[in-house]
Amino acid sequence: MIHVFRVMLLAVVFTALTHAQVADERNTLRLAQVYEQAGKHDEALRYYRDLFAAKPDNSAYFEGVRRCLLALKQYTEAVALLGERIRRFPADEQLLVHRGGVYVLMEKVDSARADWKKAIALNPKNGQTYGLIADHCLNARLYPLAVEYLREGREELRAPQMFTFEIARACAMNMDFDGAMDEYLEYLRAVPQSLYQIQQQIAMFSEVIDGIESALRRTQAAVKRHSDDVSLQYLLSWLYQERKQYGEAFAVVREVDRLKNAGGMEVLRFAGRAFDDGAFRVAADAYRWIIEKYEKAQFLPQAEYHYARCMEALQEQQGVPAELNAQGSTSSGSEAMPAYRGVISLYEDIVRKHTSHPMASESQYRIGYITYHWFGDTDGALRALQGIAGNRAAVFGKADADILIGDIHVARGDLEAAITQYDAVLLSPQLDEKGRNGVRFRIAEVHFFQGRFDTALSELQPLTEDVGTDIANDALELSAMIHQYRSPGEVPLQRYAQALFLERQRKLSEADALLQQIIGEYASSEVVDLCYLSRAAVLERMGRHAAASAVYAEFLAQRGESFLRDRGLFLHAVLTEVQLNDAAGAMVLYQRLLDEYPNSPYVPQARDSIVRLRKGNS
Amino acid sequence: MKRMLPLFLLLLLVAPVRAQQNILIPMDLQQSDHLKAYGIVYWVLTRSVEVDWLLNYRGGSFLMPHYPFIEQECRVRGVAFSTLDGSTATGIIAEVEGQDSNSEVVRLEKAPKIAVYVPPNFQPWDDAVTLAMEYAEVPYDKVWDEEVLRGKLAEYDWLHLHHEDFTGQYGKFYAQFGTFPWYIQQVAINESTAKRLGYSKVSEMKKAVARAIREYVGGGGFMFAMCSATDTYDIALAAEHTDICDRMFDGDPPDPDCQQRLDYSATFAFTDFKLVMNPYEYEYSDIDMTPALGGRPDADYFTLFDFSAKYDPVPSMLTQNHVNVIAGFLGQTTAFKKDLIKKHVVILGQKEGTEEVKYLHGNFGRGTFTWYGGHDPEDYQHRVGDPPTDLSLHKTSPGYRLILNNILFPAAKKKQQKT
């Protein structure tokens, strides 16, 4: 019995001691880790050393000592520690790799290479070894060395896509963008679906000029070698578009379209992007190409319509495109405006060929728009629009044709018809708030033209309340004009409104004559100031720039008390600069504005103009 | 009559008669565009017309001979001015030079040649000083490490630095932006430059640049620094013989005893500072007094100190302003801890009731340095990627005026110290 009791007692004591030892070791490890995390590596090292001395086989303790030695830059001791470990575990290639890493920190690259050679020799097919070596090289900023080992690993493992991104990044960090691009391109060829990933990687150095130029150069070369590779072509077209080289991009996209047998869809998508980016010429070429090559495609009407839009945009930008010079239009446009007839004929073709297609409605609208805005042919525009307006609103939810018809009624002088039209548009459920406000402003304008100022003001009032809207400024301006100039008598303002109405109808000569009359008859009225400025604007529209300049000069000479003098000076300066091409004369006028009206709201623009003209002269 | 003669002669001696007209550019609240006013003065100096800076007179106004081209240019740039006849101008000069007034006339003689230390891929809108100079239309050249190490600074009178990092830790943006393309490219460009110039680490190259700048200032150059270019500059000088960069910046850990190995005798302005060694913390040392939880813009102001214009013309020039309490603003280095500033450094502006020094000035060798905490005086908390400040909306900014005072200060003729 006593014997059993003694054995049990011994067992209890032994267990207690063991537990105490284990708990002590755990606490020491915890302490070491806490110190290490707090950056107190010297303290952590002390505890790790104790643990390691007690259990030299424990790799966690060994690693703790190793890490702390490195953190404290005690490289010699770290080398010795690793050396000892290597002797005990000669088959562990990671130890050799780590010791090589320490040699690199000591700038003993030859010693590092020797260790790494041994490590690799232990197991040449272990990819992790090469990756670990590369990590050490990258940490030490030895980028070419990292690339060397990664490439060696890739060759040894016969895995051509292995380490692509690591090698490419190392090359890029070393500013070897050609090297980086070669890696990405090879990868892309092997893994075509990685295009987006490759684009993201290239974006990492696309801000560097050498980087983006290398990307383009290498991709061009790769495409030349592998012209049937769609991903490479995609990448090349993306690079061109990043650099806004749409012409070159178009050539590549055509090739992509052919390779993918896309039937023109790739080019159609590209053309849309080019148009949105303002590259109208290239977009036009792209649409033209589709039209010529895919006569029977389902999207042909879209291509034809957008081609016509491109021509219209080019016309506005640069004058008549060469392709349109020989074309004529069947529309009864004014022979005084030969421009745009080619564009109209394109739209007319679409309407004729694709009668029930939505693009026919769009084209018809553009015909009406151009006929009115550029030709001033109100009858022709009405004919073009009235046929599609109802359909457009009901089927496509667009009120633009209806609104334009209202504008045309105003231009024809038929204000009652205009009011009726605008009222009808207001009832349209498709009209959004912005459109609604635009129509309400037009109605207010009509009342103004008719001399019904109170009605006009009541229409304008709600539009001036929300100053965040686009129309608020226009509404405020018209309201202010009515309030300012309707007293002491409304007649001069009514006559002036009539003159503006004539101008809206493009009856410029009559408008000019009426303005002159008002100036003569109501010399004491402040409305005369407006008449002078409007008269100059009308003469400018008529191309009579010298006459317009004379009117401004007369205004400045005759109307000494007018508070619109600064506006007159500014407009005169702009006319002199832009239409009369007299930079010196314009500068004198701008300077006069600064001298005489230093607090004028036109002063900042005048200053900018002076600076611009000075730069132009230097 | 006989009694009048000595008085008359005295007047002739004290106040030279200005027969011609003069232009006065006021710099008090009457001025519509203080910032462009500095540009006008600079522009006038480039045309070999000397300008009088009237320290402490109407906010530090400028007086110059009248020429129509100057008047015209003021109008073009929107700078308020008035034309004075000779006797009025003479009266003002007499008032400013009077013994009873704390004001002084400083003659500005020539436009200083200005260099700005900026990286090649730098956008000028990100830097308050270049923003100010662009707005004020003051020309400047850009220099970077290569130019500095090749001795190009000798060609300039004034060197400006903004939020650069002379410690080689890439602005300590690693934690937040370490994977961003701009950060990666910045690292690649810097490392490539260091390698090309023969330095094993970027931090070594930056130390060399810091030494070159010290040589430049010691030789008589003027240095202006803002934001992190202030404390990192001194830290780099102090850490000449030790490594304070962690492995993500230079590939190896910092020296364990780097704090003990700092040499404060090498610095310009700061001493006894403690480094912040954590690479993930957006701070270099305890010099900076950025509030931990972000400041309160409505309660953050600093006060400019008054100096005797007659006896301390340099600090007076640097603190000319139309207000003397200025709205504060944060930066990577917002303000300097007073305890850590060397005793010989002149404190120009400080947050009242605190240890936060915002603006300081000192001498080194034959040159001077002026340091200003914070990033952008009109953007309380400017972050990476924020749009640039539009100075046309802040034409009368007192905070920006302090920057521009430094541009004109090197143009001042050295005056004999009054005894």
Side-chain angles (χ1 to χ4, degrees):
Chain A
M1 189 66 171
I2 293 172
H3 180 70
V4 169
F5 177 72
R6 276 188 192 141
V7 168
M8 279 176 66
L9 185 63
L10 269 169
V12 165
V13 166
F14 178 73
T15 308
L17 274 173
T18 310
H19 270 297
Q21 255 182 336
V22 167
D24 194 40
E25 187 180 319
R26 229 184 356 244
N27 288 338
T28 306
L29 176 63
R30 193 83 195 91
L31 206 51
Q33 287 168 337
V34 165
Y35 272 123
E36 189 181 358
Q37 271 163 20
K40 293 185 190 312
H41 294 105
D42 45 355
E43 295 289 336
L45 180 61
R46 196 154 58 86
Y47 291 107
Y48 277 129
R49 271 193 166 130
D50 289 343
L51 292 164
F52 183 58
K55 286 190 175 170
D57 283 348
N58 187 310
S59 55
Y61 303 157
F62 162 74
E63 282 298 322
V65 173
R66 185 185 69 84
R67 282 194 310 269
C68 288
L69 286 174
L70 289 180
L72 294 167
K73 290 182 154 175
Q74 291 174 14
Y75 298 136
T76 310
E77 212 181 313
V79 164
L81 175 79
L82 283 158
E84 179 54 37
R85 194 82 175 166
I86 288 165
R87 268 192 289 283
R88 294 188 62 208
F89 302 99
D92 187 342
E93 63 260 34
Q94 282 206 11
L95 293 171
L96 283 161
V97 171
H98 284 312
R99 192 172 68 174
V102 180
Y103 278 132
V104 156
L105 290 172
M106 295 167 79
E107 296 184 20
K108 292 181 178 174
V109 178
D110 289 340
S111 304
R113 277 184 179 277
D115 267 354
W116 290 337
K117 190 174 175 184
K118 285 182 211 159
I120 290 167
L122 282 172
N123 187 358
K125 302 292 180 201
N126 183 356
Q128 208 182 5
T129 305
Y130 301 96
L132 210 49
I133 292 171
D135 282 345
H136 281 295
C137 295
L138 289 172
N139 282 339
R141 305 322 196 234
L142 298 171
Y143 302 116
L145 200 57
V147 169
E148 183 191 310
Y149 280 101
L150 289 168
R151 282 189 172 143
E152 187 184 324
R154 165 195 285 176
E155 211 175 292
E156 185 61 44
L157 273 71
R158 289 189 226 278
Q161 273 71 57
M162 198 170 184
F163 301 131
T164 292
F165 292 96
E166 291 85 346
I167 292 172
R169 255 182 246 124
C171 288
M173 288 304 294
N174 200 35
M175 308 286 269
D176 172 16
F177 299 112
D178 284 352
M181 279 309 300
D182 289 343
E183 291 292 324
Y184 289 137
L185 292 169
E186 276 310 306
Y187 190 86
L188 183 61
R189 273 186 46 75
V191 187
Q193 58 272 30
S194 67
L195 175 64
Y196 179 65
Q197 198 183 2
I198 299 293
Q199 285 171 337
Q200 280 190 314
Q201 294 298 315
I202 294 174
M204 291 283 197
F205 54 77
S206 59
E207 298 285 311
V208 183
I209 293 176
D210 288 348
I212 191 68
E213 282 180 359
S214 165
L216 193 55
R217 197 174 51 244
R218 292 311 250 212
T219 310
Q220 283 168 338
V223 163
K224 225 180 221 168
R225 287 193 304 273
H226 311 286
S227 53
D228 57 347
D229 190 315
V230 174
S231 328
L232 288 178
Q233 298 274 11
Y234 262 129
L235 183 65
L236 185 59
S237 80
W238 173 77
L239 285 168
Y240 278 133
Q241 288 175 74
E242 286 290 294
R243 289 165 62 93
K244 308 285 182 214
Q245 291 175 242
Y246 283 98
E248 289 85 340
F250 176 38
V252 176
V253 169
R254 280 204 304 272
E255 191 53 24
V256 169
D257 197 272
R258 183 189 70 78
L259 287 169
K260 286 187 70 177
N261 223 9
M265 281 306 296
E266 291 292 335
V267 177
L268 187 73
R269 268 197 288 269
F270 162 77
R273 275 197 304 273
F275 183 89
D276 290 341
D277 263 357
F280 301 123
R281 168 47 64 196
V282 175
D285 290 344
Y287 285 123
R288 181 90 234 141
W289 181 87
I290 293 170
I291 293 164
E292 284 170 359
K293 213 167 151 50
Y294 296 102
E295 295 173 345
K296 305 229 185 312
Q298 218 176 352
F299 49 75
L300 184 70
Q302 281 99 320
E304 287 178 341
Y305 172 76
H306 286 291
Y307 173 70
R309 287 290 282 122
C310 291
M311 287 292 116
E312 192 184 330
L314 281 169
Q315 171 92 57
E316 207 169 312
Q317 229 179 33
Q318 303 157 9
V320 180
E323 302 89 315
L324 298 186
N325 268 329
Q327 279 177 296
S329 163
T330 56
S331 138
S332 56
S334 160
E335 53 279 309
M337 294 287 279
Y340 284 93
R341 282 167 74 185
V343 174
I344 291 214
S345 74
L346 290 173
Y347 286 126
E348 283 171 345
D349 277 345
I350 296 167
V351 171
R352 203 172 29 247
K353 286 188 322 194
H354 312 289
T355 319
S356 50
H357 196 281
M359 292 298 116
S361 171
E362 296 295 327
S363 299
Q364 194 68 28
Y365 174 76
R366 295 309 301 176
I367 292 170
Y369 183 92
I370 293 170
T371 307
Y372 169 58
H373 279 287
W374 295 104
F375 290 9
D377 175 6
T378 53
D379 291 340
L382 266 183
R383 266 199 308 279
L385 292 168
Q386 272 166 342
I388 57 155
N391 208 26
R392 223 168 144 69
V395 177
F396 304 117
K398 292 184 181 185
D400 48 7
D402 285 313
I403 296 173
L404 191 52
I405 288 170
D407 296 346
I408 292 168
H409 283 314
V410 171
R412 281 156 62 96
D414 190 351
L415 294 180
E416 292 306 325
I419 291 263
T420 307
Q421 180 71 16
Y422 290 141
D423 282 343
V425 172
L426 279 178
L427 296 172
S428 166
Q430 280 88 12
L431 202 57
D432 61 11
E433 194 53 33
K434 185 176 170 182
R436 218 171 283 284
N437 286 340
V439 173
R440 288 193 187 110
F441 179 77
R442 284 166 165 83
I443 292 172
E445 268 193 322
V446 167
H447 288 301
F448 170 73
F449 291 146
Q450 291 175 322
R452 300 205 282 250
F453 298 137
D454 289 331
T455 316
L457 284 172
S458 68
E459 291 289 342
L460 289 169
Q461 172 57 33
L463 300 177
T464 61
E465 278 162 14
D466 184 358
V467 294
T469 59
D470 292 342
I471 208 73
N473 266 347
D474 295 339
L476 280 165
E477 204 175 320
L478 185 55
S479 289
M481 191 207 297
I482 296 172
H483 282 299
Q484 171 82 28
Y485 294 102
R486 70 186 303 192
S487 55
E490 289 196 348
V491 172
L493 185 60
Q494 283 169 345
R495 304 278 312 272
Y496 178 66
Q498 283 169 358
L500 290 183
F501 183 37
L502 286 168
E503 193 188 353
R504 185 67 66 88
Q505 294 173 75
R506 303 189 189 202
K507 293 177 181 173
L508 301 178
S509 307
E510 293 166 53
D512 176 39
L514 179 55
L515 288 165
Q516 277 189 78
Q517 211 174 36
I518 300 169
I519 289 169
E521 286 178 22
Y522 302 100
S524 60
S525 169
E526 283 183 351
V527 172
V528 163
D529 298 337
L530 291 176
C531 291
Y532 267 111
L533 297 182
S534 293
R535 197 176 162 228
V538 164
L539 288 168
E540 193 177 340
R541 281 180 69 183
M542 292 165 76
R544 295 173 56 193
H545 303 132
S549 181
V551 167
Y552 281 126
E554 188 185 320
F555 166 68
L556 293 169
Q558 300 294 327
R559 307 295 291 183
E561 300 302 315
S562 167
F563 64 83
L564 295 180
R565 284 175 58 82
D566 60 333
R567 189 194 298 184
L569 252 178
F570 180 73
L571 292 173
H572 193 188
V574 171
L575 174 80
T576 307
E577 179 190 348
V578 175
Q579 302 292 3
L580 299 178
N581 290 313
D582 177 6
M587 277 187 58
V588 167
L589 289 165
Y590 286 127
Q591 190 68 53
R592 207 176 132 190
L593 175 63
L594 299 188
D595 295 342
E596 294 176 22
Y597 302 102
N599 297 318
S600 165
Y602 294 101
V603 158
Q605 284 170 276
R607 283 205 192 108
D608 288 345
S609 298
I610 291 174
V611 170
R612 185 183 63 250
L613 288 170
R614 274 183 186 171
K615 278 191 187 145
N617 287 342
S618 63
Chain B
M1 189 64 172
K2 280 187 186 168
R3 276 186 223 152
M4 296 285 283
L5 185 58
L7 184 63
F8 177 67
L9 286 172
L10 185 64
L11 275 172
L12 272 180
L13 281 170
V14 166
V17 172
R18 289 171 176 251
Q20 65 170 98
Q21 286 212 309
N22 293 267
I23 287 175
L24 176 74
I25 297 179
M27 293 295 276
D28 53 12
L29 297 175
Q30 301 292 319
Q31 179 52 252
S32 49
D33 197 331
H34 293 84
L35 306 186
K36 283 216 187 270
Y38 286 95
I40 286 280
V41 171
Y42 189 94
W43 180 79
V44 168
L45 290 172
T46 61
R47 275 146 180 80
S48 306
V49 176
E50 291 183 348
V51 177
D52 284 334
W53 197 353
L54 311 178
L55 301 186
N56 293 345
Y57 176 77
R58 292 186 66 184
S61 303
F62 300 101
L63 187 67
M64 61 197 79
H66 177 277
Y67 292 101
F69 72 88
I70 299 179
E71 192 176 323
Q72 206 175 64
E73 194 63 23
C74 286
R75 289 218 169 84
V76 171
R77 297 195 194 190
V79 172
F81 68 96
S82 50
T83 319
L84 310 175
D85 58 36
S87 59
T88 312
T90 305
I92 290 174
I93 296 287
E95 182 190 332
V96 169
E97 287 188 333
Q99 290 304 313
D100 294 337
S101 69
N102 182 19
S103 49
E104 183 62 280
V105 178
V106 171
R107 177 62 58 93
L108 302 176
E109 293 186 310
K110 76 172 184 68
K113 213 159 165 244
I114 301 167
V116 176
Y117 175 76
V118 295
N121 55 339
F122 170 74
Q123 300 283 339
W125 44 258
D126 205 27
D127 172 330
V129 173
T130 49
L131 265 183
M133 292 202 281
E134 294 283 338
Y135 179 76
E137 299 175 59
V138 173
Y140 60 94
D141 290 342
K142 293 181 191 175
V143 297
W144 189 231
D145 293 335
E146 210 157 332
E147 288 84 10
V148 171
L149 292 170
R150 289 205 181 121
K152 208 164 176 227
L153 288 182
E155 297 171 25
Y156 299 95
D157 301 304
W158 187 72
L159 173 67
H160 151 71
L161 309 104
H162 198 246
H163 58 263
E164 303 310 328
D165 177 3
F166 287 95
T167 66
Q169 297 176 89
Y170 301 103
K172 290 200 100 176
F173 284 120
Y174 181 76
Q176 215 178 344
F177 299 105
T179 55
F180 280 51
W182 67 263
Y183 182 89
I184 294 169
Q185 284 165 26
Q186 193 181 59
V187 170
I189 290 172
N190 272 286
E191 293 202 355
S192 155
T193 307
K195 206 176 286 180
R196 192 161 38 82
L197 296 176
Y199 296 95
S200 58
K201 294 179 178 183
V202 170
S203 51
E204 292 303 315
M205 180 180 69
K206 290 297 189 189
K207 282 180 195 172
V209 171
R211 286 196 299 274
I213 293 173
R214 182 173 58 192
E215 227 176 270
Y216 159 78
V217 175
F222 298 97
M223 172 195 188
F224 176 84
M226 267 187 90
C227 204
S228 59
T230 56
D231 53 352
T232 66
Y233 179 76
D234 257 9
I235 292 170
L237 290 178
E240 175 67 33
H241 301 292
T242 186
D243 177 7
I244 68 169
C245 298
D246 213 324
R247 62 182 77 235
M248 61 280 287
F249 303 123
D250 69 354
D252 61 13
D255 287 345
D257 56 348
C258 58
Q259 177 66 51
Q260 289 73 32
R261 292 172 66 183
L262 292 178
D263 178 10
Y264 301 115
S265 68
T267 62
F268 276 18
F270 304 118
T271 187
D272 298 331
F273 48 85
K274 303 255 176 314
L275 299 172
V276 169
M277 296 305 298
N278 183 353
Y280 299 98
E281 200 175 324
Y282 187 59
E283 197 61 89
Y284 299 99
S285 73
D286 60 348
I287 295 171
D288 176 37
M289 296 198 79
T290 301
L293 298 172
R296 277 185 52 200
D298 55 331
D300 190 350
Y301 293 88
F302 65 97
T303 306
L304 294 176
F305 292 136
D306 281 328
F307 293 92
S308 164
K310 293 189 188 344
Y311 296 99
D312 290 316
V314 171
S316 290
M317 273 188 266
L318 297 175
T319 52
Q320 291 301 291
N321 221 308
H322 46 289
V323 296
N324 75 327
V325 178
I326 298 175
F329 50 98
L330 304 182
Q332 186 172 27
T333 302
T334 298
F336 317 118
K337 195 170 181 185
K338 195 170 180 180
D339 280 350
L340 302 178
I341 298 175
K342 290 184 172 178
K343 297 287 175 264
H344 69 266
V345 171
V346 177
I347 294 172
L348 303 175
Q350 182 175 344
K351 194 169 173 180
E352 276 192 64
T354 72
E355 294 295 295
E356 295 176 34
V357 170
K358 193 72 173 174
Y359 188 38
L360 55 80
H361 171 78
N363 297 322
F364 180 80
R366 289 165 50 205
T368 76
F369 61 93
T370 309
W371 291 356
Y372 190 16
H375 186 94
D376 185 331
E378 294 299 338
D379 183 359
Y380 187 71
Q381 192 163 16
H382 188 84
R383 297 181 204 274
V384 173
D386 274 355
T389 299
D390 181 356
L391 283 184
S392 66
L393 303 175
H394 304 283
K395 300 177 187 187
T396 61
S397 167
Y400 268 96
R401 269 199 70 177
L402 296 183
I403 298 173
L404 292 167
N405 283 338
N406 283 271
I407 290 173
L408 291 186
F409 146 65
K413 180 179 176 179
K414 288 205 190 307
K415 220 167 176 169
Q416 289 243 321
Q417 193 66 31
K418 291 181 197 268
T419 51

